[in-house]
Amino acid sequence: MRVAIIGQGYVGLTIAVGAASAGHEVVGFDVNHQLVSALNSGKSHIEGISDTDLAGFLGFGAYKANSDPSVLEGCDVIVIAVPTPLDDARNPDLSYVHAAADLIEKNIKSRALVINESTSYPGTLRKEIASRITGVAHLYASSPERVDPGNTQWGTKNTPRLIGGLTPEAVAKAKEFYSTFCDTIIEVSSPEVAEAAKIFENTFRQVNIALVNEFAQIADALGISGREVIDAAATKPYGFMEFNPGPGVGGHCIPVDPSYLAHVANEVGVPATFIKRANEVNLAMPAYVVKRVVAGSGGSIKGKKVVVVGISYKSNVADTRETPAAGVIDLLRAQGATVTWHDDLVGSWRGETSAPIKGADIAVLVTKHDGLDLAALKGCGYVFDCTGTIAGADGI
Ligand SMILES: NC(=O)c1ccc[n+]([C@@H]2O[C@H](COP(=O)([O-])OP(=O)(O)OC[C@H]3O[C@@H](n4cnc5c(N)ncnc54)[C@H](O)[C@@H]3O)[C@@H](O)[C@H]2O)c1
C-alpha cells in the first residue's frame, strides 16, 4: 500500500518504520522542514529507531520524509499522528488534529482510509476529523497508539492494537493494513470505544501513580519505607498491581491524556474527581521533593551547589516534555541554591547544557538512565533519590 503518516514524531516515525518494514511505500509527512531534512539524511530523532535502520529504508525507497502536501494524493492509507496537547487552561487543544484533517480535505481527492492514532477523547474521529473532511467519502478508523518509547520488550509489533471504525469496510481495511506489521489486532465496536480505551489506560496510570505518590508521603511521615511496603504488598499474587513513587509525571501522555477524559466527562455532567485529585498530587511532587531535600540538608540549601541528575521524564529517553525535573530545578533555585543538571541523553535544554555530577554539595536523582555514574553521585555530600536506586539514601 502507499501510506502517508501525518506527523513524524515519536508515534508517526515509529509507525512509518513499522509500515516500511512490512513492504509498504511510506511517506512521512511533517510540517517541520528541519526534521524532514534530517530524516531524509538518515538522522533519526527517536530512541527506538537507529540511523542505520532509517538509512536502510531510505536507501531502498520504502520511506521518504516530505513536507509537500501534494505527495498525499493517491495514498491508500493516511495515518494522523500529530500532537494533542493541553492549552493554557489545561483544556484539550485539537488544533493540530484539525490542521491534519484540513490538510486531507484540501489535498486528497481520491478515496483513502484515514486512521487517527493521536490520543484524544471519544468522538474525535467522528466529530473532529471525519465531519471536517467533505467532498470525498473516505473510510475512517481510530487506532490509538500505545507506543512506550524506550521499552524494549513491548513495541509496535507485539503490543495488541485496538481498531474501531466508522463503517465495517473501514475496520476491514484498517485490519488489513495493521496486520502487515502488528501481531494482534483487537476490533472494538466503535471508534469511541477505541479512543476511550486509550485515555482510560493512561488515566489508570495517572491515578495509580498519584496514589502511590501520596502513599510515599504518608509512609515517610510514619517513619517507614514506602518502597519496602510496596515491595511487600507486591508479593500478593492477585488483586494488587505495583506502581512506584517518583518526582511527578512527565511526557506527552500521563500528565495530559486524563484531562481529555475530564473534559468530556464535564461536558456530560459527570465530574472526573479522581483525575482532578491525581493531577493535584502529581503536580505537587516537585515541591515535596524540594521540601525533603531542604529538610535533609539541615534546613537550608541557600548557596549550596546542587546537581539534578536525569532531567528527561523517564529512564533511557531524551524526552523532556512536561518533565517534573523542571519544577524541581526551579524550586531548588527559589530556595537560593546554585543548580546545575546532568543528563548525557538530553545534552542541552532550556538554554543550559549538561554539567558534571562531581563537585556538587547535593545531588537529586530525578531520572536514572543506564550507565549513570553512581560513584560520582555517591561522592556528593548529600544525595536525595527519587528513583529507589541507592540503598540507604534519603528519597521517595
Ligand atoms: N510519545 C508517546 O509516547 C505517545 C504514545 C502514545 C500516543 N501518543 C500520542 O500520539 C500523538 C503524537 O505524539 P508524538 O509523541 O508522536 O508527538 P511529537 O510531538 O513527537 O510529534 C508530532 C509531530 O507532528 C508534527 N506536526 C504537527 N502538526 C502537523 C501537521 N499539521 N501536519 C504534519 N505534521 C504535523 C510535528 O512537527 C511533530 O514532528 C499524540 O496524540 C500523543 O498523545 C504519544
Side-chain angles (χ1 to χ4, degrees), residues 6-11 29-32 35 81-84 96 99 118-119 145 147 149 198 252-253 321:
I6 301 181
Q8 288 297 279
Y10 281 86
V11 166
F29 180 83
D30 205 291
V31 287
N32 180 339
L35 174 64
V82 295
T84 45
Y96 299 92
S118 312
T119 307
E145 182 52 59
V147 68
K198 167 71 194 182
H252 194 339
C253 296
R321 290 178 295 183

Side-chain angles (χ1 to χ4, degrees), residues 157-209:
K157 187 173 181 330
N158 63 354
T159 303
R161 179 164 282 279
L162 300 177
I163 291 180
L166 286 189
T167 58
E169 192 188 353
V171 173
K173 273 264 175 215
K175 277 172 140 175
E176 189 190 332
F177 170 59
Y178 283 113
S179 62
T180 58
F181 59 99
C182 299
D183 295 340
T184 310
I185 299 199
I186 297 156
E187 180 184 338
V188 293
S189 62
S190 68
E192 284 77 12
V193 170
E195 291 163 334
K198 167 71 194 182
I199 43 176
F200 184 61
E201 288 160 18
N202 282 357
T203 300
F204 174 84
R205 280 188 63 71
Q206 179 230 23
V207 169
N208 277 288
I209 291 168

Side-chain angles (χ1 to χ4, degrees), residues 5-14 29-33 35 45-46 66 80-85 95-101 103 116-120 144-149 198 202 251-253 256-257 260 313-314 319 321:
I5 318 280
I6 301 181
Q8 288 297 279
Y10 281 86
V11 166
L13 185 60
T14 306
F29 180 83
D30 205 291
V31 287
N32 180 339
H33 298 268
L35 174 64
H45 63 111
I46 67 173
N66 214 313
I80 301 173
V82 295
T84 45
S95 57
Y96 299 92
V97 169
H98 290 157
L103 190 77
N116 182 35
E117 289 211 18
S118 312
T119 307
S120 183
E145 182 52 59
R146 292 164 148 179
V147 68
D148 179 16
K198 167 71 194 182
N202 282 357
H252 194 339
C253 296
V256 173
D257 302 350
Y260 273 66
Y313 80 93
K314 72 175 195 175
D319 192 348
R321 290 178 295 183

Side-chain angles (χ1 to χ4, degrees), residues 54-69:
L54 188 61
F57 292 120
L58 287 160
F60 58 85
Y63 172 80
K64 194 168 183 341
N66 214 313
S67 46
D68 173 3

